[in-house]
Amino acid sequence: MKNKTNFPSQEGEARPSRCPDNSAFKQQRLPAWKPQLNIVTVLSSFFLIGAFCLTVGVCLILSANSVREIQIDYSDKCSDCSKFRENSSNWNKECHCSINFTLKEDILGDVFMYYGLQNFYQNHRRYVISRSDAQLLGRNVNIQRSYCAPFTTYRNGTPMAPCGAIANSMFNDTIDLFYNRDSSVIQVPLLKTGNSWWTDKNVKFRNPESYNLSSAFAGTARPPYWQKPVYLLDEEDERNNGYINDDFIIWMRVSAFATFRNLYRRVRRIRHFADGLPAGNYTFRISYNFPVSKFKGRKHVILSTVVWSGGSNPFLGIAYLVSGTAATLAGFVITAIHLKLRKKKTYFQRQ
């Protein structure tokens, strides 16, 4: 039998070496800091971390408590409109309701208006992925290959713009605020732009390119639950229309919890409202379009200010307090164990 073993050739060819280069990095000879932990450094670290977290937590909670906020649940107060919306044949008819409230003190500074939903789950996987990011970038794509089903096309083959369950369920109540001053009624000026993130408005959402917006969406149809097509979301401002509409962009950012709030408007600080909202009587006039009774939900409208730490949300402050308390308690426990062991060691040494 022939020996098939491969021997090096007569020219003395050597196999390439697999050893790493003789450098400080590849041979792990770089200088490194190896701290020598002792009881002083360990206890100092725990107590310093605890003090820092407790201080930050107290500051965050005090800041959150300084936020002025008023929240009104209009689910029951607009019950007639809720029953009206349960009949699907009334989809193209309007229903309005009014809610009166009183501000006992001035709300100074920037005032933000939110709408809140309760028991509306946006964290279901099928719901979260039911969108086409390529379509929202203004590209001409085949949405049949996206995750938008069953909200992709109508029976006649007309594609929906935008497609998907998230867009189809967009919050579409219209909320106006009026100030009842003496015998006159003044509509509070509200800003509907500048509420979304810059990256959303300029990177993640773009309209199809065309000489006008209606032609850009030619050949498409609105989602089934919408009352008007996407290119009519804001007829007054072309820069806030179509896929780059602020209300639409904010709704497409789904929430992780069943109870959430989304920014809706900002009070424009002019004339009577230059310093904020003065004390007095106000009225919310709501065009009721978003039904919530089928999933036992609730709807709120919130007026709130913001501070350096954000809105009225004490969660972060509580988290810092819990972390600081845990670190401080751990420091005391380690101190007690160390003193006990040191006392025992001293006792045995004397023996």
Side-chain angles (χ1 to χ4, degrees):
M1 296 179 63
K2 294 182 178 179
N3 189 356
K4 297 183 178 180
T5 305
N6 295 324
F7 292 97
S9 63
Q10 295 180 355
E11 288 77 17
E13 293 181 358
R15 294 182 181 179
S17 175
R18 300 181 64 183
C19 295
D21 296 335
N22 188 21
S23 63
F25 177 76
K26 293 188 176 181
Q27 295 296 337
Q28 299 184 11
R29 295 195 302 267
L30 291 175
W33 178 58
K34 298 179 181 179
Q36 299 296 326
L37 298 178
N38 53 46
I39 190 63
V40 176
T41 57
V42 171
L43 289 179
S44 300
S45 300
F46 272 97
F47 285 120
L48 287 175
I49 292 174
F52 172 78
C53 291
L54 289 174
T55 303
V56 174
V58 170
C59 293
L60 288 173
I61 289 181
L62 293 177
S63 176
N65 291 337
S66 65
V67 173
R68 294 290 309 280
E69 180 176 299
I70 178 172
Q71 178 172 309
I72 297 176
D73 187 325
Y74 65 94
S75 305
D76 297 331
K77 297 179 180 180
C78 296
S79 57
D80 293 338
C81 287
S82 178
K83 295 177 182 178
F84 181 81
R85 283 291 170 229
E86 290 180 0
N87 187 351
S88 58
S89 61
N90 296 326
W91 69 270
N92 58 345
K93 300 177 182 178
E94 294 185 356
C95 185
H96 299 275
C97 60
S98 298
I99 301 171
N100 299 319
F101 66 97
T102 302
L103 289 181
K104 297 181 180 180
E105 298 179 357
D106 296 345
I107 300 182
L108 302 178
D110 294 327
V111 182
F112 299 82
M113 180 188 293
Y114 302 83
Y115 62 84
L117 291 177
Q118 183 177 344
N119 206 37
F120 188 92
Y121 289 85
Q122 289 189 311
N123 54 6
H124 192 282
R125 180 178 178 276
R126 287 285 303 275
Y127 182 88
V128 171
I129 66 175
S130 184
R131 58 188 291 166
S132 173
D133 291 320
Q135 183 194 46
L136 298 176
L137 282 170
R139 299 172 183 171
N140 186 13
V141 294
N142 183 8
I143 58 175
Q144 292 285 7
R145 298 178 181 178
S146 66
Y147 294 102
C148 288
F151 302 103
T152 52
T153 60
Y154 287 93
R155 293 182 179 180
N156 59 1
T158 305
M160 299 180 189
C163 70
I166 307 176
N168 183 58
S169 60
M170 177 180 168
F171 183 86
N172 57 351
D173 282 0
T174 302
I175 305 172
D176 293 315
L177 180 61
F178 294 89
Y179 174 44
N180 305 315
R181 184 186 181 187
D182 300 330
S183 58
S184 60
V185 178
I186 304 172
Q187 184 172 2
V188 179
L190 301 175
L191 295 171
K192 53 186 176 181
T193 57
N195 301 325
S196 60
W197 297 345
W198 183 92
T199 52
D200 287 339
K201 194 87 170 181
N202 297 274
V203 179
K204 296 178 64 176
F205 294 83
R206 304 301 300 167
N207 284 324
E209 294 183 0
S210 183
Y211 62 92
N212 61 41
L213 209 54
S214 60
S215 64
F217 289 98
T220 63
R222 58 175 177 81
Y225 291 173
W226 285 28
Q227 295 178 328
K228 52 187 176 182
V230 65
Y231 55 85
L232 295 179
L233 289 180
D234 189 352
E235 302 179 63
E236 299 176 357
D237 189 355
E238 188 74 15
R239 297 170 298 177
N240 190 45
N241 207 353
Y243 292 153
I244 58 174
N245 177 262
D246 276 35
D247 294 337
F248 174 70
I249 291 175
I250 291 173
W251 177 259
M252 294 299 290
R253 192 186 311 131
V254 296
S255 173
F257 301 99
T259 299
F260 61 92
R261 64 174 64 177
N262 284 335
L263 181 59
Y264 182 67
R265 296 288 185 268
R266 292 177 295 127
V267 174
R268 188 179 181 186
R269 297 176 63 175
I270 57 173
R271 296 191 294 274
H272 305 289
F273 313 101
D275 298 325
L277 291 178
N281 298 320
Y282 290 84
T283 300
F284 279 123
R285 189 172 185 269
I286 301 171
S287 177
Y288 198 104
N289 300 310
F290 193 86
V292 295
S293 57
K294 290 185 178 180
F295 56 88
K296 298 180 181 179
R298 312 287 298 180
K299 293 195 292 187
H300 308 83
V301 58
I302 304 108
L303 293 174
S304 176
T305 59
V306 295
V307 290
W308 62 269
S309 60
S312 178
N313 187 0
F315 173 78
L316 188 59
I318 295 174
Y320 268 101
L321 287 179
V322 172
S323 301
T325 304
T328 305
L329 289 178
F332 283 115
V333 171
I334 295 173
T335 302
I337 295 173
H338 171 68
L339 293 177
K340 184 178 181 180
L341 293 177
R342 188 175 67 173
K343 184 178 180 181
K344 185 180 295 186
K345 182 179 179 181
T346 304
Y347 171 78
F348 282 113
Q349 287 177 349
R350 290 178 180 178
Q351 294 295 327

